Amino acid sequence: MYINLKLIQKRRCVRMSAVCWPYFDPEYENFSNRINPPRVTVDNASCRNCTLIKFDSVNKPGILLEVVQILTDLDFIITKAYISSDGGWFMDVFHVTDQHGKKITDDKTIDLIEKALGPKSQSKEGVKNWAGKRVGVHSVGDHIAIELIGRDRPGLLSEISAVLASLHFNVTVAEVWTHNRRIACVLYVNDGTRQAVDDPKRLSLVEEQLNNILRGCEDGDKVASRTSLSMSFTHIDRRLHQMLFADRDYESSGVTTTESESPPSFRPKITIECCKEKGYSVVSVRCKDRAKLMFDIVCTLTDMEYVVSHATISSDVPYASQEYFIRHMDGCTLDTEGEKERVIKCIEAAIQRRVSEGVSLELCAKDRVGLLSEVTRILRENGLTVCRAGISTRGEQALNVFYVRDASGNSVDMKTIEALRKEIGKTMMVDVKKVPTYDKEPETKGWAKTSFFFGNLLERFLA
């Protein structure tokens, strides 16, 4: 009887708690978006030289980066922008052109913009990172994504690609950045038949061998080579920024170099001032203009947990001027000189990670297992080191872009390049471009552009 009474009392408490406890609709967080869905307008009439993309929406964390990321993935050049997000509403206007400086008039592209930014758009969840793993391997659709970060040295990319080729992994998409003696790579690979590799032994073996290569890069500076494991899709460019930022590559960036090492006309000029009457810190950036500059800066500020409330962007070729009104996520401004100096270093590092000088090699060939290993081996044998690379695959064609310098980091002798072109040109299309020193990056030809995420947008919104 005692036991039954206790059971009755317990059940009664459960029923009471069920009645009294407030109920929250799982969709409550999206309630504002359902009432006031985002609106996007593509305007080709107001400006003679560019297309205006006007976007307004309920304000939410990270929305500016989300919008800029989509425009960047579509290969648009942002010439001007006006951002305002005080209160609960976010409004901005972007002046954009295509890679050739022309308006966006293609109906399919305009429809894609409206689907990507309009009411049907859906934000992605954040990415969880597992620290402590030196090489991260995980399955993404029909691919395995591998992330590596470590100390850079000549021939390292060749060694990495040789390991993948020896284990019959085919690299379909990859981005490689080097900055401040560090290298960060994100590679998407399959087994050569467009199927993801799901054999635990093969995955364990490739992880072990890549770890051995990274350990061989460590030196007396006690800078450990490592990588993070992400279990969901991440934008490659943002992931590279996150990896290098977490690796603190900004600590010895160009901010601390002498003027003799970098001409004043090239070095970004970054200042931070306090706007006390409005409660903002104002970050002003002036530097050489280039593609994806706004994305790189906004990405860095977002990952440092600053909120951009207002911004103005303008381009006066060949320079860009950008101004951001920011606060901490808790509403505080940047009060200490140490914090301001850190933000300046991080922004400058973000700008310089994508800057490449010297010579670019653009190659097109039929995709096959070992292609990347073959090309990087030839580059290495000719005394060239890769400072940045982009690899993509379209159908059966592999499109690769390599920015190269000699083993000492100096410009490459054009005689070496011509000899290299003759050697590689026997089996693939090769285009060589001289990248002007301390100038904006050149526009790549249509067949040679690496635009992996444009394809992702097509799959996401046109499937």
Side-chain angles (χ1 to χ4, degrees):
M1 185 67 180
Y2 174 78
I3 296 176
N4 290 339
L5 180 60
K6 296 291 284 186
L7 287 173
I8 292 172
Q9 290 175 341
K10 184 177 293 186
R11 289 170 183 165
R12 184 176 298 170
C13 291
V14 170
R15 287 197 299 270
M16 290 178 65
S17 63
V19 173
C20 300
W21 190 261
Y23 171 74
F24 290 97
D25 186 342
E27 294 295 321
Y28 179 77
E29 292 183 359
N30 298 323
F31 184 67
S32 297
N33 280 332
R34 294 202 303 270
I35 295 178
N36 300 297
R39 296 188 297 269
V40 59
T41 303
V42 180
D43 179 5
N44 273 313
S46 299
C47 186
R48 184 182 64 179
N49 300 321
C50 61
T51 297
L52 271 62
I53 298 178
K54 304 174 183 178
F55 176 78
D56 58 275
S57 160
V58 173
N59 195 15
K60 63 179 182 180
I63 188 171
L64 175 59
L65 177 59
E66 182 180 333
V67 174
V68 174
Q69 179 175 297
I70 289 173
L71 297 180
T72 301
D73 290 346
L74 289 169
D75 287 330
F76 294 160
I77 302 297
I78 301 174
T79 59
K80 290 184 181 180
Y82 305 95
I83 313 299
S84 180
S85 61
D86 254 353
W89 200 254
F90 175 82
M91 297 177 289
D92 54 8
V93 178
F94 296 92
H95 295 234
V96 304
T97 67
D98 63 15
Q99 290 286 319
H100 304 287
K102 298 180 179 180
K103 290 185 177 183
I104 313 301
T105 57
D106 180 69
D107 291 338
K108 291 183 179 179
T109 305
I110 292 175
D111 183 60
L112 184 59
I113 296 170
E114 292 172 347
K115 287 182 178 180
L117 296 176
K120 296 182 181 180
S121 63
Q122 295 180 355
S123 62
K124 297 179 180 178
E125 296 182 358
V127 177
K128 296 180 180 179
N129 296 323
W130 276 256
K133 291 188 67 66
R134 301 170 67 88
V135 176
V137 181
H138 65 280
S139 178
V140 180
D142 295 333
H143 298 80
I144 295 296
I146 302 176
E147 301 176 353
L148 306 98
I149 188 164
R151 183 168 295 283
D152 189 27
R153 58 177 168 79
L156 179 57
L157 181 59
S158 176
E159 294 180 25
I160 292 171
S161 55
V163 166
L164 296 174
S166 67
L167 297 174
H168 302 287
F169 285 89
N170 184 44
V171 179
T172 59
V173 173
E175 288 287 338
V176 181
W177 290 2
T178 63
H179 179 250
N180 193 26
R181 301 176 64 197
R182 306 296 289 171
I183 184 171
C185 311
V186 177
L187 308 99
Y188 284 74
V189 302
N190 58 29
D191 64 359
T193 62
R194 302 191 179 186
Q195 298 296 319
V197 180
D198 55 5
D199 183 357
K201 292 184 179 179
R202 276 183 80 185
L203 297 179
S204 176
L205 183 59
V206 72
E207 183 172 346
E208 178 184 356
Q209 293 195 18
L210 291 175
N211 276 331
N212 290 336
I213 292 175
L214 293 179
R215 291 190 189 102
C217 301
E218 297 176 4
D219 54 24
D221 292 340
K222 297 182 179 180
V223 180
S225 300
R226 61 185 183 277
T227 183
S228 300
L229 171 64
S230 58
M231 299 304 293
S232 60
F233 176 82
T234 313
H235 187 282
I236 286 185
D237 287 10
R238 185 176 186 189
R239 188 72 192 115
L240 290 168
H241 276 302
Q242 290 174 338
M243 292 165 65
L244 287 167
F245 173 74
D247 200 55
R248 306 176 75 89
D249 71 319
Y250 56 85
E251 289 190 336
S252 299
S253 64
V255 174
T256 60
T257 60
T258 63
E259 290 295 327
S260 61
E261 294 174 336
S262 181
S265 60
F266 172 70
R267 286 173 50 107
K269 295 179 175 61
I270 305 170
T271 61
I272 299 179
E273 299 178 353
C274 183
C275 182
K276 293 184 178 180
E277 61 274 14
K278 298 293 184 180
Y280 295 113
S281 293
V282 184
V283 180
S284 300
V285 181
R286 181 169 173 79
C287 62
K288 288 281 188 176
D289 196 12
R290 61 165 175 79
K292 303 184 180 182
L293 178 62
M294 182 179 182
F295 169 82
D296 293 337
I297 295 175
V298 172
C299 180
T300 298
L301 291 173
T302 301
D303 287 337
M304 293 183 74
E305 298 186 344
Y306 293 107
V307 178
V308 178
S309 297
H310 304 278
T312 57
I313 312 299
S314 63
S315 176
D316 183 16
V317 179
Y319 291 95
S321 297
Q322 304 193 6
E323 192 173 62
Y324 299 90
F325 292 73
I326 67 171
R327 297 187 183 114
H328 280 289
M329 295 185 69
D330 60 7
C332 297
T333 58
L334 286 69
D335 296 326
T336 66
E337 291 301 318
E339 184 178 15
K340 292 179 182 178
E341 182 180 356
R342 181 171 180 266
V343 171
I344 290 173
K345 286 185 176 182
C346 290
I347 292 176
E348 181 163 4
I351 294 171
Q352 292 179 339
R353 287 168 193 153
R354 206 190 291 269
V355 172
S356 300
E357 302 161 13
V359 173
S360 71
L361 301 175
E362 303 174 353
L363 302 96
C364 180
K366 186 175 181 179
D367 186 37
R368 66 179 186 277
V369 175
L371 176 62
L372 179 61
S373 177
E374 177 185 339
V375 174
T376 54
R377 175 184 57 79
I378 294 174
L379 295 176
R380 181 181 183 180
E381 290 174 350
N382 282 271
L384 302 181
T385 183
V386 177
C387 56
R388 188 159 70 89
I391 290 88
S392 64
T393 306
R394 299 180 185 175
E396 295 184 352
Q397 297 297 310
L399 311 174
N400 303 337
V401 180
F402 299 94
Y403 291 84
V404 297
R405 300 182 74 82
D406 68 16
S408 301
N410 301 317
S411 297
V412 182
D413 188 294
M414 292 308 294
K415 292 181 179 180
T416 302
I417 293 296
E418 289 303 318
L420 182 67
R421 173 155 56 179
K422 291 179 181 179
E423 181 178 359
I424 298 180
K426 297 175 182 178
T427 57
M428 62 190 74
M429 294 174 56
V430 182
D431 189 18
V432 180
K433 289 188 176 181
K434 180 75 172 179
V435 182
T437 305
Y438 307 123
D439 206 346
K440 62 190 297 186
E441 291 182 307
E443 295 177 359
T444 58
K445 292 183 178 179
W447 63 264
K449 283 169 53 182
T450 55
S451 183
F452 171 60
F453 293 103
F454 181 78
N456 277 345
L457 285 172
L458 288 176
E459 292 176 3
R460 179 181 174 189
F461 298 109
L462 301 182

